[in-house]
Amino acid sequence: LPLSSLFPFIYFMVRDFGIAKSETRIGTYAGLIGAALMFGRFLSSTFWGMLADKYGRKPVMLFGTATIVVLNTAFGFSTNFWLALSSRFLLGLLNGMLGPVRAYASEICTREYQALGLSMVGTMWGVGLIIGPAIGGYLSQPSDKYPSLFPSGSLFDRFPYALPCICISAIACFGVFVSFWLPESIHKHPKIDLQRSEETSVGKGNSINNKQGNTHAIVTVKGEDSTSKKRTWKNWGVVSAIAIYFLWGLHDMAYSEIFSLWAVSPKKYGGLGFTTSDVGTVLAVSGAVLLVFQLLAYAPLANRFGAIRIIRVAAVVTLLLIALFPLIAKTSGVTLWSVLIPANVVKSILSSCVITGNFILINNSVVITERGFVNGVSMSFVSLARAVGPACAGSLFSWAQERTDSWFLPGMWMVFFILNIIVVLVLIGTFDPILPKSLVNPVPESSESWESIKNQKLERSSSFTLT
């Protein structure tokens, strides 16, 4: 919500700060604000993941939600570029809940419902894409849109972007309250010799199995195990899945930044000339369709075809779709809306397929007691990508606006061409030997027989474990 609500109005917020020397440079500063939150996440996500492994998922999720209440409100009342930048950076630095949320969603579900559990994380992103852009688009600059309710000189006239941020903070405050009722998925018990328990196939205190032999996430935590952390980096499945997630995060965040800037920029620079409300409408419709898809369609597709195949298909279709985007700016009126909304809807669904598929691959690459750490690491890397994405996308967008008359890929053609280069890299990364096929299934937990674990470990190590 704090992220998607910015998309409709960040261009105008930066314009009002008066820091850009020309209209074509607004995108650069807007990109830096978008990057600040992700850079903060990059610095701290691994730390929050390790805390989640040691103390549990719930405390980290509670604290992260609480930071939204404070820092998102502060962002709305920012009076200059540097205050806005600082509040976004601190929000990213102190909010490390996304990695633990993904681990939590995987742990509270049995194996056959893993795709559904992780798709629900994507579903909530879909909800955010409905509510966030709608709030940001319709409630920003309220004095201009609703002068009878917010007269000139009122609080929200002096702070035209505070109202949507306050609304988002109120939702986060409700989230803090609800989070108190969540059960913890990691429980601490007296220390035991994990290897010995595996060898004797006892598994006491390690896990509770259901009738199908699936493992629930009530496990013994022995504290920080530096050996297991070192072993994680020798697991090629972890490395390859995080690499794909990094590349797609770079593409996805750059696309989100560019789409909003492209939509609100003047037609003379190749933009669509939309208002914040127009952008909010497009993103909200896309989010609504994405919500339905994640809720009803993704899990059956993932269970039937597997996460890797879905990622590949989504990447191929994305290549074709992105190549058509510059042509959309040549349309207008009803034609523009009838083409733009379906295109952005399909793009959102494809991106969700790749992201949720990566959630599955990353969680499948390690056992439960290492998932907080690995998800934290993955969030650090993807946050770095999402920090670089908006900053580079803003600069790329500004550069493209200055070369609308170029003979080679003029204007927005160059922007969308570069976005597609990243998609090609993602597609290549989904094939052997880069991405192991074994990640379709989870790593066996310690509750399974030691002989079974040993055989599966040997099989996995022969296919993708670094030596």
Side-chain angles (χ1 to χ4, degrees), residues 143-185:
S143 186
D144 296 336
K145 298 172 183 174
Y146 320 107
S148 59
L149 296 176
F150 305 97
S152 177
S154 64
L155 177 66
F156 295 116
D157 180 42
R158 290 183 287 116
F159 301 99
Y161 309 102
L163 183 58
C165 292
I166 289 175
C167 290
I168 298 298
S169 296
I171 295 173
C173 190
F174 176 74
V176 173
F177 174 77
V178 171
S179 296
F180 277 105
W181 300 94
L182 291 175
E184 179 57 73
S185 64

Side-chain angles (χ1 to χ4, degrees), residues 208-249:
I208 296 176
N209 296 330
N210 65 11
K211 292 181 180 179
Q212 290 77 25
N214 296 311
T215 302
H216 289 282
I218 301 179
V219 300
T220 297
V221 178
K222 295 178 67 177
E224 290 302 312
D225 184 349
S226 60
T227 302
S228 68
K229 300 300 183 287
K230 292 177 182 178
R231 187 172 64 247
T232 297
W233 293 114
K234 294 184 179 181
N235 184 329
W236 182 247
V238 172
V239 175
S240 57
I242 290 178
I244 292 175
Y245 190 33
F246 171 86
L247 288 171
W248 190 264

Side-chain angles (χ1 to χ4, degrees), residues 190-211:
K191 293 184 179 180
I192 62 172
D193 188 335
L194 185 58
Q195 183 176 355
R196 180 180 176 186
S197 68
E198 288 174 339
E199 291 174 345
T200 57
S201 301
V202 174
K204 293 180 179 180
N206 287 334
S207 62
I208 296 176
N209 296 330
N210 65 11
K211 292 181 180 179

Side-chain angles (χ1 to χ4, degrees), residues 144-431:
D144 296 336
K145 298 172 183 174
Y146 320 107
S148 59
L149 296 176
F150 305 97
S152 177
S154 64
L155 177 66
F156 295 116
D157 180 42
R158 290 183 287 116
F159 301 99
Y161 309 102
L163 183 58
C165 292
I166 289 175
C167 290
I168 298 298
S169 296
I171 295 173
C173 190
F174 176 74
V176 173
F177 174 77
V178 171
S179 296
F180 277 105
W181 300 94
L182 291 175
E184 179 57 73
S185 64
I186 294 291
H187 295 277
K188 303 192 73 172
H189 300 284
K191 293 184 179 180
I192 62 172
D193 188 335
L194 185 58
Q195 183 176 355
R196 180 180 176 186
S197 68
E198 288 174 339
E199 291 174 345
T200 57
S201 301
V202 174
K204 293 180 179 180
N206 287 334
S207 62
I208 296 176
N209 296 330
N210 65 11
K211 292 181 180 179
Q212 290 77 25
N214 296 311
T215 302
H216 289 282
I218 301 179
V219 300
T220 297
V221 178
K222 295 178 67 177
E224 290 302 312
D225 184 349
S226 60
T227 302
S228 68
K229 300 300 183 287
K230 292 177 182 178
R231 187 172 64 247
T232 297
W233 293 114
K234 294 184 179 181
N235 184 329
W236 182 247
V238 172
V239 175
S240 57
I242 290 178
I244 292 175
Y245 190 33
F246 171 86
L247 288 171
W248 190 264
L250 180 64
H251 163 83
D252 192 49
M253 198 64 187
Y255 169 80
S256 298
E257 184 77 15
I258 285 170
F259 180 85
S260 297
L261 295 174
W262 174 58
V264 300
S265 63
K267 284 184 171 291
K268 64 181 180 180
Y269 296 120
L272 305 181
F274 277 10
T275 65
T276 56
S277 298
D278 293 334
V279 179
T281 299
V282 174
L283 296 179
V285 171
S286 300
V289 178
L290 176 60
L291 171 61
V292 175
F293 174 82
Q294 284 281 10
L295 199 59
L296 302 178
Y298 181 82
L301 289 173
N303 288 332
R304 181 171 181 178
F305 300 106
I308 295 177
R309 287 182 182 177
I310 289 179
I311 292 173
R312 287 175 186 166
V313 172
V316 171
V317 179
T318 297
L319 282 172
L320 300 175
L321 182 64
I322 291 293
L324 299 176
F325 262 84
L327 298 175
I328 295 177
K330 298 183 181 297
T331 62
S332 61
V334 176
T335 304
L336 172 59
W337 283 92
S338 62
V339 174
L340 180 65
I341 290 180
N344 197 61
V345 165
V346 173
K347 177 64 177 69
S348 298
I349 290 174
L350 295 173
S351 184
S352 176
C353 286
V354 177
I355 292 172
T356 308
N358 265 286
F359 290 171
I360 294 174
L361 299 180
I362 290 170
N363 281 288
N364 282 354
S365 65
V366 292
V367 295
I368 283 175
T369 51
E370 296 175 5
R371 283 181 186 162
F373 172 74
V374 169
N375 276 284
V377 171
S378 71
M379 280 307 305
S380 287
F381 277 94
V382 82
S383 295
L384 175 61
R386 289 175 173 172
V388 173
C392 292
S395 298
L396 177 63
F397 184 84
S398 296
W399 174 63
Q401 287 186 327
E402 295 172 351
R403 59 183 305 276
T404 54
D405 297 326
S406 175
W407 65 272
F408 178 70
L409 296 176
M412 294 299 108
W413 287 95
M414 176 61 77
V415 172
F416 290 110
F417 173 74
I418 292 176
L419 286 178
N420 260 349
I421 290 177
I422 304 174
V423 179
V424 170
L425 296 176
V426 170
L427 180 60
I428 293 172
T430 61
F431 291 92

Side-chain angles (χ1 to χ4, degrees), residues 1-9 37-38 41 64-65 68-69 71-73 75 88 91 95 97-98 121-137 139 161 163-176 253 283-284 287 386:
L1 279 175
L3 182 62
S4 60
S5 64
L6 262 66
F7 294 152
F9 68 76
L37 182 142
M38 295 301 172
R41 278 188 189 168
T65 309
I68 297 175
V69 178
L71 293 170
N72 193 61
T73 302
F75 175 78
R88 297 296 290 176
L91 180 58
N95 188 328
M97 69 180 189
L98 291 184
V121 178
T123 298
M124 293 304 101
W125 172 250
V127 172
L129 285 178
I130 299 170
I131 301 174
I135 291 175
L139 298 186
Y161 309 102
L163 183 58
C165 292
I166 289 175
C167 290
I168 298 298
S169 296
I171 295 173
C173 190
F174 176 74
V176 173
M253 198 64 187
L283 296 179
R386 289 175 173 172

